[in-house]
């Protein structure tokens, strides 16, 4: 959406269907397919730790895309996304262990359950704006955290819930290598669905509500309905991401789904680019890899300078501070996110060497 | 020179405003205004700044709820309906201050106008190839016709917020046309434009009315244009209707001369 004016020159479309493809240019289509193929080959070459990181990027990116549809495209705000992510994790574990639904079916069903929950919370939230909305979603974070602690039948309470590994036709997909492909398939499907949504009627209505709600209403868009719907869709993505997370860890405990995680989700979409599908993935990569890079930098300092007293002990704080710092720096210097930088670089090279 | 219509105003009113009053605290923005607009008519509302013209359009489009009176669209009472319901029933409008979706492309802005006519939803939209594709393309064709008519093809991919003022006004007209409304409300479509842009816009509005058969209600300050292209003109002053009739009748009205055109009768005599 944002930056759609940066279509490379020399692109001429001769039919409407050609003009409404998922990708702006054939080049970006090829790039995307190549990226998927490369990702599919990753488990064959990557070591276990990088693979873990890629799996994390996968389920976080799915959840972050939901938040980006809500915040970036519809212009709402949510400080409770991690709680919906957590609800999806618990719901899928519960569906599998208590109801007996196979994991690969439990994951989308958990997404639907989380959608219903999101719609429920969206009904009051859809009528609020600005600070009031922020506070209402903040409240939903704590209401759900409290629910996780109390609803022992659903979450196992303080001892948490076990989440069985996925299996397909009796073949257990438990190792990281197998599970990577499960996450990759969900990631691709969810991103294609999201991109399609944003180029059709309801996706345009979301952006219209964000850009100018009064004229959206005059164009026939029911504002409350679309704000609530956006909460529902955002929760669907959160639920699927959370479910994938739960079955990956094998164990779901309420501790992971705090306000801090909600803010990290916001960080992902701010850094990646509000309202951008591609940007969501970039921002998630950034957020997942930043602590690793920070750790690398700290150990480099230790090698060069020697062990500064307290540095190792402070590592956990440094990692968190780096996330906060990154969000602030992006808000100041690159408010359109990584995706904007990426487009600028692309259009620079398109015209190279006549770049001015 | 006014166009001489064979339109009979009160026989097929597509829009009827009955005794509408509107107040903001102590300020009376509108006092008992009534008029009706016939199918196919180009109806103008004029009056000094603050006369209540925009408030009138806001009452019609549902932004404001009149404190008394009724609004009928194509015979049915819409007074209590929300703006989005009225769009569905066939009301399109543009705004005095620009109100485009700034980050969307021109084309997508206009597609939003098709919102109430499109049937696809979040699910069929997400499943694009199995769902929304055919319908989206059909409506793109309609949008493309509007784009051609308003001569904005070269900017269809541009981000709306980056366009010049005159072009943005034109895109707003396109978006309102895309609603396929029974009545289109234009709030100062030529304000702030240069002469050339004004001439283009006047031509578009006349063609819209004559070739597309659209019923137009327009607020405009440029008296030359108003008298030239309108079938009938209504004059508002301090929220009251002081004249309504053919352009030449309105021009000849003494109260209008005093109130709006700033011509003092005594001065004229002297
Ligand atoms: N939302 C509002 N709140 C308070 N007063 C308003 C509002 N809208 C319009 N008015 C008042 O109503 C009167 C008519 O305004 P308006 O309809 O904008 O006039 P026009 O379009 O003819 O210039 C003005 O006195 C204006 O101050
Ligand atoms: Mg006005």
């Amino acid at each position: 959406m944002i930056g759609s004016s940066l279509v490379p020159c020399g692109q001429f479309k001769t039919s409407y269907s050609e003009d409404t493809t998922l990708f702006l240019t054939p080049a970006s289509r090829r790039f995307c397919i190549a990226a998927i193929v490369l990702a599919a080959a990753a488990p064959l070459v990557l070591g276990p730790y990088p693979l873990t990181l890629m799996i994390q990027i996968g389920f976080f990116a799915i959840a972050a895309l939901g938040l980006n549809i809500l915040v970036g495209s519809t212009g709402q705000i949510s400080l409770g996304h991690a709680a919906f992510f957590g609800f999806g994790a618990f719901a899928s574990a519960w569906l599998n262990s208590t109801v007996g639904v196979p994991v690969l079916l439990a994951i989308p069903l958990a997404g639907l359950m989380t959608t219903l929950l999101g719609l429920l919370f969206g009904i009051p939230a859809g009528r609020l704006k600005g600070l009031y909305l922020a506070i209402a979603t903040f409240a939903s974070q704590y209401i759900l955290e409290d629910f996780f602690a109390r609803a022992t039948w659903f979450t196992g309470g303080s001892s948490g819930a076990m989440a069985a590994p996925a299996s397909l036709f009796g073949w257990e997909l438990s190792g990281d290598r197998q599970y990577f492909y499960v996450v990759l398939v969900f990631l691709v499907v969810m991103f294609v669905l999201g991109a399609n949504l944003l180029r059709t009627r309801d996706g345009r209505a979301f952006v219209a509500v964000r850009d100018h709600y009064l004229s959206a209403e005059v164009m026939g868009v029911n504002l409350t309905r679309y704000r609530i719907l956006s909460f529902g869709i955002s929760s669907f993505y959160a639920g699927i991401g959370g479910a994938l997370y739960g079955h990956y860890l094998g164990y779901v405990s309420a501790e992971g789904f705090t306000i801090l995680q909600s803010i990290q989700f916001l960080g992902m979409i701010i850094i990646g680019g509000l309202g951008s599908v591609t940007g969501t993935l970039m921002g998630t990569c950034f957020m997942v890899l930043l602590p690793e890079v920070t750790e690398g930098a700290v150990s480099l300092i230790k090698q060069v300078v020697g062990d500064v007293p307290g540095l190792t002990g402070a590592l956990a704080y440094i990692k968190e501070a780096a996330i906060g710092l990154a969000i602030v720096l992006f808000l100041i210097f690159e408010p359109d996110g990584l995706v904007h930088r990426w487009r600028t670089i692309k259009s620079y090279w398109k015209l190279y060497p006549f770049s001015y | 020179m006014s166009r001489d219509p064979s339109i009979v105003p009160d026989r097929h009113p597509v829009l009827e405003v009955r005794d509408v009053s509107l107040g903001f605290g102590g300020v009376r923005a509108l006092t008992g205004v009534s008029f009706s607009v016939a199918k196919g008519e180009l109806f103008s509302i004029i009056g000094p700044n603050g006369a209540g013209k925009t408030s009138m359009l806001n009452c019609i489009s549902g932004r404001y709820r009149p404190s008394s009176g009724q609004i009928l669209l194509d015979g049915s009472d819409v007074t209590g309906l929300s703006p989005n319901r009225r769009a569905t029933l066939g009301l399109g409008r543009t705004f005095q201050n620009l109100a485009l979706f700034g980050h969307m492309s021109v084309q997508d802005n206009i597609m939003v106008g098709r919102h109430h006519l499109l049937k696809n939803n979040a699910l069929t939209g997400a499943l694009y190839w199995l769902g929304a594709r055919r319908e989206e393309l059909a409506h793109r064709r309609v949008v493309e016709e509007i784009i051609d008519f308003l001569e904005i093809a070269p900017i269809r991919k541009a981000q709306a917020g980056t366009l010049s003022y005159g072009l943005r006004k034109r895109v707003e007209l396109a978006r309102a046309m895309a609603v396929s409304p029974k009545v289109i409300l234009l709030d100062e479509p030529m304000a702030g434009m240069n002469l050339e842009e004004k001439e283009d816009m006047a031509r578009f509005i006349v063609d819209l009315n004559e070739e597309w058969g659209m019923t137009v209600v327009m607020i405009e300050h440029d008296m030359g244009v108003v008298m030239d292209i309108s079938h009938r003109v209504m004059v508002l002053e301090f929220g009251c209707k002081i004249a309504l009739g053919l352009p030449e009748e309105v021009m000849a009205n003494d109260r209008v001369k005093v109130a709006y055109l700033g011509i003092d009768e005594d001065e004229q005599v002297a």
Side-chain angles (χ1 to χ4, degrees):
Chain A
M1 294 285 131
I2 293 171
S4 52
S5 58
L6 294 175
V7 182
C9 59
Q11 280 293 318
F12 299 106
K13 308 292 163 77
T14 51
S15 77
Y16 300 135
S17 51
E18 226 177 282
D19 198 22
T20 47
T21 48
L22 206 49
F23 302 99
L24 238 43
T25 62
S28 56
R29 182 202 187 91
R30 265 177 261 132
F31 182 84
C32 204
I33 290 170
I36 294 171
V37 171
L38 263 181
L44 309 176
V45 287
L46 287 184
Y49 191 62
L51 201 58
T52 304
L53 292 178
M54 285 190 74
I55 292 172
Q56 281 184 37
I57 290 172
F59 52 68
F60 280 136
I62 291 172
L65 181 57
L67 188 64
N68 213 346
I69 290 171
L70 178 68
V71 177
S73 302
T74 318
Q76 299 292 93
I77 182 80
S78 175
L79 296 174
H81 204 59
F84 292 94
F85 183 83
F87 185 86
F90 282 123
S92 192
W94 179 78
L95 281 169
N96 177 246
S97 63
T98 309
V99 188
V101 181
V103 170
L104 287 184
L105 191 62
I107 294 170
L109 281 181
L112 289 179
M113 279 175 71
T114 318
T115 309
L116 292 180
L117 187 75
L119 291 172
L120 192 70
F121 277 95
I123 290 169
R127 290 160 206 280
L128 300 174
K129 281 200 285 268
L131 192 57
Y132 299 98
L133 175 65
I135 299 295
T137 59
F138 192 62
S140 71
Q141 168 79 38
Y142 283 104
I143 291 169
L144 286 176
E145 275 188 42
D146 193 52
F147 170 77
F148 296 154
R150 285 166 197 270
T152 39
W153 58 274
F154 185 63
T155 63
S158 55
S159 50
M162 302 305 288
S167 61
L168 193 62
F169 308 120
W171 176 41
E172 201 168 272
L173 305 165
S174 62
D176 276 13
R177 290 219 166 120
Q178 283 92 325
Y179 200 71
F180 174 85
Y181 290 104
V182 175
V183 174
L184 183 65
V185 168
F186 270 99
L187 180 75
V188 171
V189 169
M190 295 303 282
F191 268 63
V192 169
L193 292 180
N196 278 339
L197 170 69
L198 290 176
R199 65 179 169 141
T200 48
R201 174 180 183 258
D202 283 5
R204 281 191 303 265
F206 286 150
V207 181
V209 170
R210 176 197 72 190
D211 272 8
H212 203 293
Y213 70 92
L214 286 175
S215 61
E217 200 179 18
V218 164
M219 293 300 129
V221 178
N222 183 333
L223 299 180
T224 311
R225 208 191 127 180
Y226 275 89
R227 287 184 179 133
I228 296 172
L229 179 65
S230 187
F231 269 100
I233 290 172
S234 138
S235 305
F236 179 64
Y237 277 86
I240 301 253
L244 285 167
Y245 160 88
H247 293 292
Y248 177 59
L249 287 195
Y251 168 76
V252 189
S253 103
E255 266 100 74
F257 314 123
T258 58
I259 182 86
L260 214 75
Q261 181 61 45
S262 288
I263 293 186
Q264 288 207 21
F265 277 126
L266 281 171
M268 291 173 193
I269 63 172
I270 290 168
I271 289 172
L274 288 172
S276 162
V277 174
T278 329
T280 305
L281 192 57
M282 292 179 181
T284 310
C285 289
F286 188 97
M287 265 311 204
V288 171
L289 298 180
L290 183 63
E292 308 304 320
V293 174
T294 315
E295 197 170 336
V298 168
S299 66
L300 192 71
I301 291 172
K302 271 195 274 190
Q303 274 176 17
V304 177
V305 189
D307 197 7
V308 182
L311 190 60
T312 315
L315 185 59
Y317 300 107
I318 295 175
K319 280 185 188 172
E320 278 180 20
I323 287 172
L325 189 66
I327 295 176
V328 171
L329 289 179
F330 266 90
L331 281 173
I332 297 172
F333 295 110
E334 193 64 85
D336 290 336
L338 287 170
V339 71
H340 180 252
R341 181 81 358 225
W342 167 245
R343 283 185 188 135
T344 318
I345 294 168
K346 260 201 322 196
S347 52
Y348 174 85
W349 285 105
K350 276 256 145 56
L351 300 176
Y352 184 83
F354 308 105
S355 57
Y356 44 89
Chain B
M1 201 205 76
S2 77
R3 293 144 75 220
D4 184 42
S6 51
I7 289 162
V8 186
D10 294 313
R11 190 172 295 167
H12 301 290
V14 65
L15 175 70
E16 235 185 308
V17 173
R18 285 188 193 157
D19 203 22
V20 162
S21 297
L22 173 74
F24 297 103
V27 184
R28 290 190 66 86
L30 293 169
T31 312
V33 178
S34 299
F35 65 94
S36 62
V37 180
K39 198 170 184 327
E41 193 172 14
L42 203 170
F43 186 94
S44 289
I45 303 176
I46 62 171
N49 273 326
K53 305 181 297 294
T54 299
S55 301
M56 189 70 248
L57 285 205
N58 282 338
C59 286
I60 298 171
S61 72
R63 174 90 191 281
Y64 294 161
R65 188 74 42 96
S67 31
S68 66
Q70 278 179 307
I71 315 269
L72 285 84
L73 182 64
D74 214 14
S76 55
D77 191 341
V78 298
T79 321
L81 298 185
S82 62
N84 54 288
R85 285 284 299 135
R86 296 186 200 200
T88 312
L89 294 173
L91 206 58
R93 79 168 283 184
T94 66
F95 294 83
Q96 179 171 358
N97 302 311
L98 293 166
L100 285 174
F101 309 121
H103 293 99
M104 287 172 124
S105 69
V106 165
Q107 189 178 287
D108 280 345
N109 263 278
I110 305 171
M111 276 298 274
V112 175
R114 304 300 290 172
H115 183 84
H116 73 101
L117 298 162
L118 282 158
K119 299 274 180 299
N120 75 73
N121 54 39
L123 187 64
T124 57
L127 299 171
Y128 190 73
W129 303 277
L130 307 173
R133 183 171 180 275
R134 177 194 291 263
E135 189 193 30
E136 286 278 324
L137 293 182
H139 285 260
R140 263 300 299 284
R141 225 154 274 142
V142 179
V143 166
E144 215 56 39
E145 262 172 52
I146 296 171
I147 286 177
D148 285 344
F149 167 64
L150 292 176
E151 298 161 16
I152 47 179
I155 55 155
R156 67 154 80 76
K157 293 276 173 187
Q159 204 175 312
T162 63
L163 298 172
S164 73
Y165 184 81
L167 281 176
R168 275 192 263 183
K169 283 248 162 197
R170 216 185 272 191
V171 175
E172 255 205 69
L173 176 61
R175 188 179 65 177
M177 284 174 69
V179 174
S180 293
K182 292 187 180 115
V183 181
I184 192 166
L185 312 171
L186 309 176
D187 197 346
E188 305 201 13
M190 287 163 237
M193 287 185 162
N194 63 36
L195 190 65
E196 193 189 340
E197 287 172 329
K198 266 190 190 177
E199 280 173 356
D200 282 341
M201 188 53 96
R203 176 166 56 87
F204 291 137
I205 293 170
V206 169
D207 286 351
L208 184 63
N209 179 241
E210 288 185 345
E211 285 170 26
W212 293 59
M214 226 174 249
T215 309
V216 180
V217 176
M218 170 177 84
I219 296 175
E220 186 45 57
H221 275 301
D222 190 311
M223 291 300 281
V225 175
V226 167
M227 294 306 161
D228 220 29
I229 71 175
S230 313
H231 294 131
R232 286 190 308 151
V233 178
M234 174 170 80
V235 189
L236 288 182
E237 188 199 21
F238 298 121
C240 297
K241 176 174 83 175
I242 59 167
L244 193 161
L246 299 175
E248 50 273 22
E249 289 169 4
V250 167
M251 284 292 264
N253 184 307
D254 289 338
R255 268 187 85 185
V256 176
K257 281 186 200 163
V258 177
Y260 186 69
L261 304 171
I263 303 167
D264 199 309
E265 277 179 279
D266 297 336
E267 260 177 50
Q268 244 183 351
V269 173

